[in-house]
Amino acid sequence: MSRKTFHLNAFLMGVGHHEAAWRHPRTDAHRVLDVRQFQNLARIAERGKLDSVFFADTLAVGPRIERNTLAVFEPVTLLSAIATATERIGLIATASTSYNEPFNLARKFASLDHISAGRAGWNIVTSGSVDEAYNFGLDAIPEHARRYERAEEFVDVAVALWDSWESEAIVLDTEAGIFADPSRVHTLDYAGERFRVRGPLNSPRGPQGRPLLVQAGSSESGKEFAAHRAEAVFTAQRTVEDGVRFYRDLKSRLAKYGRAEHELKVLPGLVPFIADTVEEAKALEQEFTDLISPDYALRQLSSMLGVDLTAHALDAPLPPLPAESEIQGGKSRFTLVKELAETEDLTVRQLIGKLGGGRGHRTFAGTPEQVADELQTWFEAGAADGFNIMPPYLPGGLEDFVDRVVPILQERGLFRADYESTTLRGHYGLDPVESQFAPRDSRVSA
Amino acid sequence: MSRKTFHLNAFLMGVGHHEAAWRHPRTDAHRVLDVRQFQNLARIAERGKLDSVFFADTLAVGPRIERNTLAVFEPVTLLSAIATATERIGLIATASTSYNEPFNLARKFASLDHISAGRAGWNIVTSGSVDEAYNFGLDAIPEHARRYERAEEFVDVAVALWDSWESEAIVLDTEAGIFADPSRVHTLDYAGERFRVRGPLNSPRGPQGRPLLVQAGSSESGKEFAAHRAEAVFTAQRTVEDGVRFYRDLKSRLAKYGRAEHELKVLPGLVPFIADTVEEAKALEQEFTDLISPDYALRQLSSMLGVDLTAHALDAPLPPLPAESEIQGGKSRFTLVKELAETEDLTVRQLIGKLGGGRGHRTFAGTPEQVADELQTWFEAGAADGFNIMPPYLPGGLEDFVDRVVPILQERGLFRADYESTTLRGHYGLDPVESQFAPRDSRVSA
Ligand SMILES: Cc1cc2nc3c(=O)[nH]c(=O)nc-3n(C[C@H](O)[C@H](O)[C@H](O)COP(=O)(O)O)c2cc1C
Ligand SMILES: Cc1cc2nc3c(=O)[nH]c(=O)nc-3n(C[C@H](O)[C@H](O)[C@H](O)COP(=O)(O)O)c2cc1C
C-alpha cells in the first residue's frame, strides 16, 4: 500500500456504548459478566485487522450503579485473558495515575506486554470523579492541575522503570549459571516531588520496550500532557471542523517536546449505526434512543457536567452552568456538552437523546459506504490519524463494522489488508522504543 | 470417599524451586519468559486434580538478579492468562498489603474470581525485604509488627469491599431497564487508622463471595494473623515433629476468633525428587546440588537471614546471628535456617546444599511410593491438612508427581479421584462465604 492509511481502535464497553444498549433485543445483558464475550469481541476485531481493542475503567461504581456494566472486570486482568485468545490485535487498558503506585502499574503493564508478546497499551487517566477519591482516603477530587502534575511525574517513573533492563540483560547462560546479567539491569534512584523509586523494575524489558502510551484528556493541561507523553489520543469531536482544530492544536504542541507529528496519532471517536439503507440505520438509532430512561440519563448528564440536574425539567434548556475553569473533574467533556446544548439550542430531553449514543462522541447512522465515506472525509480533512470505533451495541455493532465497513476501507486503500507488524506500537506505525542503554551506533535515528 | 482426604497445591516458580534448577538439562531456561509454559504447568496440575497452583511474588528484583527468574510476570495477570486455559484448578497469587491500596487489590482479585468462575486465591504477604521498601518511597522495611497491623486493617477493608454487593444485586432486568439494583449495593464508609474507603467495590460479588485467603508467615504475629484471617497456610517445616507442633499451635489459636479447626488448612511444603529407585532419586538430587554456585547461594542465604555472609568462609560454621526479635524481615525463615545450622552442626557449604532444594522447605528424594508414604505419615500424624508441592525442576518434577504419586494417593483414598467442586474454596472443603446481607433463614449455619 503506497497510499496513506489510517488506524482503527475498537472501544469495547459492556454490551455497547449506547446508553440503552443493554435493553435492546440485539444484545444479551448476561454477557457482561462473561469473559468469553470479551474474548470473542477481540477476535472479531482481530478478524478486521484492527490496530487495537480498548477497555475503559474508573475506580468507583459511580452514581449510576443501575447502568454501570463497566463495573465488572479490571481491564488489565481482562486483557490478559484476551491476550491468550488472540494473536495480533493490540490491547489497551485504562489505569489511573492518581490512585496507583508507579512501580505496581509499570509492573502490570510489563507483565501484559510479556504475556501478549508486545501488544500492551496504557490509557493514562487522572481520575476526575469524586467517587474515586472517596475510595482512596480523600474527601475531594484532587485539583485538576495537581492531577496532571502527578501524571507527569508518574509517567517519568514508569518510563524509567520500563527502561531499567537492557535488551541484552537476559542471558540465559546455563553453562556459566546466569539467568540475567546484573550489570545490565539498572537502578533509577528516582527522587521527585511525589515519588521516590529505586528500581529496577522486577520484569525484563518487554517486547515493545514499553507499552503504547495513550491519553484522552482534551483540556489545556490534558493536551499539553498528551503532546509531551502520548503516542495515541482518544478524543470526542462533534464536527470535522472541530476535529481539524483539535488535530492541528495537538500536533502543533509536539515540536517543543522534540517530537515529530507522526509520533502522536489522533483518534476521534465515532459511534456508528450501520444498516443496508440510511433509513434503516436511522430507524435503528431511533430504536435505541427510544429505550433511554430519562431519569438514568439525567444522572449520567449530571455526572458528566458535575452539576446536579436530577430535579431539572426535561423539556427546558440547561440551567446556567459554571465556567470551565471551575470544573475539577473532566473539563473538556463539560465544555463539549455545554456547547452542544447552546449551539443547537436543545432542551435537556433533546440533549439526552443526542448524547445517548456515546456520551458526547459523534454518532453517525448510515450504510457501510456512508460510514466509510465519513471516516475518509475526516481523515482527508486532517482531523484524524485514525478512529476510535465505539459500537453502540455488541457484538452486532462491531460485527457490522468489521464485516461491512472494513472491507470498503481496505478496497479504497485506506486501511491495511493484513497486519504488517506483530506489536501494538508497530500497528500504529511508531518507531521501536530505543533503550537508553542501546549502543550509540545501533540506535534508531529519529 | 468416606476416608478423610488431604489437599494439594502446586507452588510453581520459574523452571523449578531448586537453586540450580535452570542449569540442569531437564529444564529449558527460555521457558521462564513464555506464558504458555505456565499455562501448560497448570494443565498438568489440573490433570492431577490438584486443588490449586500458586505463584509467589516480591516487589523488587532483589540482590540476586542472576537467579531471579521470578521477576518476569506479575502473578494476577499471569493467572488470568492461565484461568482461560484451565477449567477447575484453583489459582493463588501473592500480593502485598504493604505496597498496595485495598481498593485496587480487592478489585483485581474480584476480577480474577469472575474471569476464572470462582477459582481465585490471595496469598497475603507483608513484604519483608528492604529492596521492596525502596521501590515505594521508603528508606527501610517498615517494622515487622507495623506491617502485620497494616495487613489486619487491609484485609478488613478488602473483605468488606468483596461483601459490598449483595448476591442478588445484579438483576439484568432489560424490561425495566435495570442492570444492578442500587439498593443492594452498599457503601462501607470504612474509616480506620490507615485507610478510609467509601466503597462499594466496582465489581459485583464474585462467584466465591471472596477469594480464598492464604497466608505464609510463621512468626508470632504471622501465626496470629493467620489464625484470624487465613483459610490456608503455607509453611516450611523440617520434621514431622515440628510440623505437628506448628499445626497444633495454629489450630489452637482459632477458637478465640470464633473459628473452627477445619476453617484453616495447614499446608507444609515438600520438594520431592522422584525416581524409580531411592538410589536414583538421591542421585538426581545430588546432580542438582552439584550445580549450585556457592557465591549465588551465599547471597541467597544472606538475604534469607538478613545478614551479609558473602565474605564468609564456606567451610566454617555460620557466624553468630542476631536474635529473632531483632529481625524486621521474615522472622520464621530466619529461625528455621539458624536452627537447622545449629542442630545439625553444618558448615555454610553444607547448609547451602541442604537449602538448595527449597530455601528451607523439606526436601525428600525417593520412589513414588516413598513420596506417598511421606505425605501420608505427615497427614496421619496431624502435621498437615495437605501439602504445598514444590517441584525442584519443571515441568518434569511436576509431571512425575502428578502422574506417579497422585495415582498412589488416590488408590489409598487419600486424595480425590476427581474434582467435587467448581470453586477453589470448594476444593479446600470450605463453606461458602456468607453475604452479610443474606436473609437470616438462608444463611449457612457454621
Ligand atoms: C475515548 C475516551 C475514553 C476515556 N476513557 C476513560 C477511562 O477509561 N477512565 C477515565 O477515568 N477517564 C476516561 N476518559 C476521560 C479522560 O481521560 C479525561 O479524564 C477526560 O476527558 C477529562 O480530561 P480533561 O479534564 O483533560 O478534559 C476517556 C475519554 C475519552 C475521550
Ligand atoms: C510457601 C511460602 C511462600 C511464600 N511466598 C511469598 C511470596 O510470594 N512473597 C513474599 O513476599 N513472601 C512470601 N513468603 C514469606 C511469608 O509471606 C512471610 O513473609 C515470611 O514467611 C516471613 O513471615 P514471618 O516474619 O511472619 O515469619 C512465603 C513463605 C512461604 C512459606
Side-chain angles (χ1 to χ4, degrees):
Chain A
M1 262 184 284
S2 60
R3 179 155 186 184
K4 217 179 139 239
T5 56
F6 60 64
H7 303 279
L8 290 171
N9 172 72
F11 180 177
L12 304 175
M13 199 152 85
V15 287
H17 281 276
H18 194 281
E19 167 68 19
W22 73 281
R23 296 185 71 191
H24 196 279
R26 292 203 185 192
T27 66
D28 175 359
H30 292 82
R31 294 209 183 138
V32 298
L33 293 162
D34 187 351
V35 64
R36 288 165 301 187
Q37 154 89 339
F38 296 100
Q39 292 180 315
N40 183 41
L41 291 170
R43 281 197 213 97
I44 293 168
E46 190 169 66
R47 173 168 97 212
K49 318 297 178 196
L50 267 55
D51 296 65
S52 47
V53 291
F54 162 59
F55 289 91
D57 198 36
T58 54
L59 298 173
V61 284
R64 300 194 333 129
I65 298 173
E66 295 95 330
R67 292 307 172 82
N68 193 353
T69 54
L70 200 65
V72 179
F73 298 108
E74 183 280 327
V76 179
T77 41
L78 180 58
L79 285 177
S80 185
I82 290 175
T84 61
T86 54
E87 288 179 1
R88 299 295 279 275
I89 195 156
L91 308 166
I92 304 174
T94 287
S96 169
T97 53
S98 296
Y99 305 118
N100 279 292
E101 285 281 341
F103 193 89
N104 292 333
L105 183 138
R107 176 85 182 301
K108 84 176 178 179
F109 279 93
S111 188
L112 181 62
D113 208 40
H114 283 291
I115 288 170
S116 64
R119 298 186 282 140
W122 171 28
N123 179 38
I124 308 167
V125 304
T126 66
S127 301
S129 87
V130 69
D131 294 304
E132 297 175 281
Y134 294 151
N135 289 332
F136 296 89
L138 304 180
D139 294 317
I141 318 178
E143 230 184 289
H144 193 269
R146 297 294 89 72
R147 293 208 313 277
Y148 275 107
E149 283 165 22
R150 181 179 161 112
E152 283 280 0
E153 196 177 324
F154 194 111
V155 175
D156 270 353
V157 180
V159 165
L161 285 166
W162 288 316
D163 205 9
S164 60
W165 290 57
E166 297 186 26
S167 317
E168 301 78 18
I170 297 288
V171 290
L172 297 172
D173 181 342
T174 53
E175 194 70 9
I178 299 174
F179 162 70
D181 176 354
S183 75
R184 291 176 177 273
V185 182
H186 306 271
T187 59
L188 357 166
D189 300 307
Y190 184 96
E193 209 180 305
R194 289 172 175 81
F195 301 113
R196 285 193 305 135
V197 179
R198 183 164 177 244
L201 190 61
N202 54 348
S203 191
R205 190 173 181 82
Q208 294 188 106
R210 65 162 182 255
L212 179 78
L213 300 180
V214 184
Q215 208 267 349
S218 293
S219 64
E220 196 49 37
S221 325
K223 284 187 282 198
E224 212 48 43
F225 176 66
H228 184 193
R229 288 301 188 180
E231 297 162 315
V233 164
F234 297 140
T235 181
Q237 300 296 331
R238 285 195 302 125
T239 66
V240 68
E241 294 73 30
D242 289 348
V244 171
R245 210 158 23 237
F246 179 81
Y247 186 98
R248 291 300 343 139
D249 178 4
L250 207 49
K251 298 271 177 163
S252 72
R253 295 171 194 246
L254 291 165
K256 72 164 157 302
Y257 298 104
R259 304 182 66 198
E261 294 210 353
H262 74 270
E263 295 178 45
L264 182 156
K265 311 295 178 188
V266 177
L267 309 170
L270 187 78
V271 182
F273 283 92
I274 303 163
D276 290 340
T277 65
V278 63
E279 293 72 27
E280 284 174 69
K282 287 200 195 305
L284 181 63
E285 181 178 5
Q286 192 58 46
E287 275 179 32
F288 280 84
T289 305
D290 291 343
L291 290 173
I292 294 179
S293 323
D295 51 333
Y296 297 132
L298 261 187
R299 263 186 285 152
Q300 164 91 310
L301 186 59
S302 302
S303 130
M304 254 189 321
L305 293 172
V307 173
D308 186 2
L309 296 172
T310 49
H312 193 75
L314 277 168
D315 295 306
L318 280 178
L321 295 176
E324 190 191 276
S325 58
E326 293 171 44
I327 298 295
Q328 291 307 329
K331 285 182 187 285
S332 50
R333 195 64 59 87
F334 168 85
T335 299
L336 182 147
V337 173
K338 184 179 172 183
E339 286 179 4
L340 171 66
E342 283 169 8
T343 56
E344 304 197 8
D345 203 15
L346 304 174
T347 65
V348 170
R349 191 189 301 277
Q350 288 164 331
L351 182 61
I352 284 171
K354 285 254 176 191
L355 293 172
R359 304 177 308 287
H361 285 266
R362 180 161 171 71
T363 299
F364 183 87
T367 64
E369 285 72 20
Q370 287 172 320
V371 174
D373 291 347
E374 175 77 4
L375 299 181
Q376 182 164 2
T377 302
W378 280 58
F379 180 55
E380 292 180 347
D385 297 308
F387 300 92
N388 184 22
I389 302 301
M390 301 168 57
Y393 62 98
L394 290 167
L398 178 65
E399 284 171 327
D400 283 348
F401 185 83
V402 159
D403 298 330
R404 307 189 63 186
V405 180
V406 167
I408 298 171
L409 299 173
Q410 290 170 327
E411 187 81 4
R412 297 185 189 173
L414 288 165
F415 191 64
R416 68 174 71 85
D418 200 356
Y419 289 111
E420 291 157 14
S421 159
T422 57
T423 66
L424 172 57
R425 298 182 61 83
H427 300 337
Y428 278 101
L430 297 164
D431 294 331
V433 177
E434 193 175 278
S435 163
Q436 62 177 315
F437 307 107
R440 237 167 217 297
D441 50 16
S442 81
R443 287 199 188 166
V444 182
S445 52
Chain B
M1 262 183 285
S2 61
R3 179 157 186 184
K4 218 180 137 236
T5 57
F6 59 65
H7 303 280
L8 291 171
N9 172 72
F11 180 177
L12 304 175
M13 198 152 86
V15 287
H17 281 277
H18 194 281
E19 166 67 19
W22 73 281
R23 297 184 71 191
H24 196 280
R26 293 202 185 192
T27 66
D28 175 1
H30 292 82
R31 293 206 184 141
V32 297
L33 293 162
D34 188 351
V35 65
R36 289 165 301 187
Q37 154 88 340
F38 296 101
Q39 292 180 315
N40 183 40
L41 291 170
R43 281 197 213 97
I44 294 168
E46 189 169 67
R47 174 168 98 211
K49 317 298 178 196
L50 267 55
D51 296 65
S52 48
V53 291
F54 161 59
F55 289 90
D57 197 37
T58 54
L59 298 173
V61 285
R64 300 195 333 131
I65 298 173
E66 294 95 330
R67 292 308 172 80
N68 194 354
T69 53
L70 200 64
V72 179
F73 299 108
E74 183 279 327
V76 178
T77 42
L78 180 59
L79 285 177
S80 185
I82 290 175
T84 61
T86 54
E87 288 179 0
R88 300 294 280 276
I89 195 156
L91 309 166
I92 304 173
T94 287
S96 169
T97 53
S98 295
Y99 305 119
N100 279 292
E101 286 281 343
F103 192 89
N104 291 333
L105 184 138
R107 178 86 183 299
K108 84 176 178 179
F109 279 93
S111 188
L112 181 63
D113 208 40
H114 283 291
I115 288 170
S116 65
R119 298 186 281 140
W122 171 28
N123 179 38
I124 308 165
V125 304
T126 66
S127 301
S129 87
V130 69
D131 293 304
E132 298 175 280
Y134 294 151
N135 289 331
F136 296 89
L138 304 181
D139 294 316
I141 319 178
E143 229 184 292
H144 192 270
R146 297 293 89 70
R147 294 207 314 276
Y148 275 107
E149 282 165 23
R150 181 177 161 111
E152 283 280 0
E153 197 176 324
F154 193 112
V155 174
D156 270 352
V157 180
V159 165
L161 285 166
W162 288 315
D163 205 10
S164 59
W165 290 57
E166 296 186 27
S167 318
E168 300 78 19
I170 298 288
V171 289
L172 296 172
D173 180 341
T174 53
E175 195 69 10
I178 300 174
F179 162 70
D181 176 354
S183 75
R184 292 177 176 271
V185 182
H186 306 271
T187 59
L188 357 166
D189 300 305
Y190 185 96
E193 209 180 305
R194 289 170 175 81
F195 302 112
R196 285 193 305 136
V197 179
R198 182 163 177 247
L201 190 61
N202 54 348
S203 191
R205 190 174 183 81
Q208 294 188 106
R210 63 162 184 256
L212 179 77
L213 301 179
V214 184
Q215 208 268 350
S218 294
S219 64
E220 196 48 38
S221 323
K223 284 186 284 198
E224 212 49 44
F225 176 65
H228 184 193
R229 287 301 187 181
E231 297 162 316
V233 165
F234 296 140
T235 181
Q237 300 295 330
R238 287 194 303 123
T239 65
V240 68
E241 294 74 30
D242 289 348
V244 171
R245 209 158 25 235
F246 178 81
Y247 185 99
R248 291 300 344 140
D249 179 2
L250 207 50
K251 298 271 177 161
S252 72
R253 294 171 194 247
L254 291 164
K256 73 164 155 301
Y257 297 104
R259 303 181 67 198
E261 295 211 352
H262 74 270
E263 294 179 46
L264 182 157
K265 311 295 178 187
V266 177
L267 309 170
L270 187 78
V271 182
F273 284 93
I274 302 162
D276 290 340
T277 65
V278 64
E279 293 73 27
E280 284 175 69
K282 286 199 193 313
L284 181 65
E285 180 178 5
Q286 192 59 45
E287 275 179 31
F288 279 83
T289 304
D290 292 343
L291 289 173
I292 294 178
S293 323
D295 50 333
Y296 297 131
L298 262 186
R299 262 186 285 152
Q300 164 90 311
L301 185 59
S302 302
S303 128
M304 252 187 325
L305 292 172
V307 174
D308 186 1
L309 296 171
T310 50
H312 192 76
L314 278 168
D315 295 306
L318 280 177
L321 296 176
E324 189 190 277
S325 58
E326 292 170 43
I327 299 295
Q328 291 306 330
K331 287 184 188 280
S332 50
R333 195 64 57 86
F334 168 86
T335 299
L336 181 148
V337 172
K338 185 179 171 184
E339 286 179 6
L340 171 66
E342 284 169 6
T343 55
E344 303 195 8
D345 203 14
L346 303 174
T347 65
V348 170
R349 190 188 302 277
Q350 288 166 332
L351 181 61
I352 284 171
K354 286 254 177 193
L355 292 172
R359 303 177 310 286
H361 284 266
R362 179 163 172 70
T363 299
F364 183 87
T367 64
E369 284 74 19
Q370 287 172 320
V371 174
D373 291 348
E374 176 76 4
L375 300 180
Q376 183 164 1
T377 301
W378 280 59
F379 181 56
E380 292 179 349
D385 298 308
F387 300 91
N388 184 21
I389 302 301
M390 302 169 57
Y393 63 97
L394 290 167
L398 179 65
E399 285 171 325
D400 283 348
F401 185 83
V402 159
D403 298 330
R404 307 188 63 187
V405 179
V406 166
I408 298 171
L409 299 173
Q410 290 170 326
E411 186 82 4
R412 296 185 190 172
L414 288 165
F415 190 63
R416 69 175 69 86
D418 200 354
Y419 288 110
E420 291 157 13
S421 159
T422 58
T423 67
L424 172 56
R425 299 182 61 84
H427 300 337
Y428 278 101
L430 297 163
D431 294 331
V433 177
E434 192 174 278
S435 162
Q436 63 177 314
F437 307 107
R440 238 168 216 296
D441 51 16
S442 81
R443 289 201 187 166
V444 183
S445 52

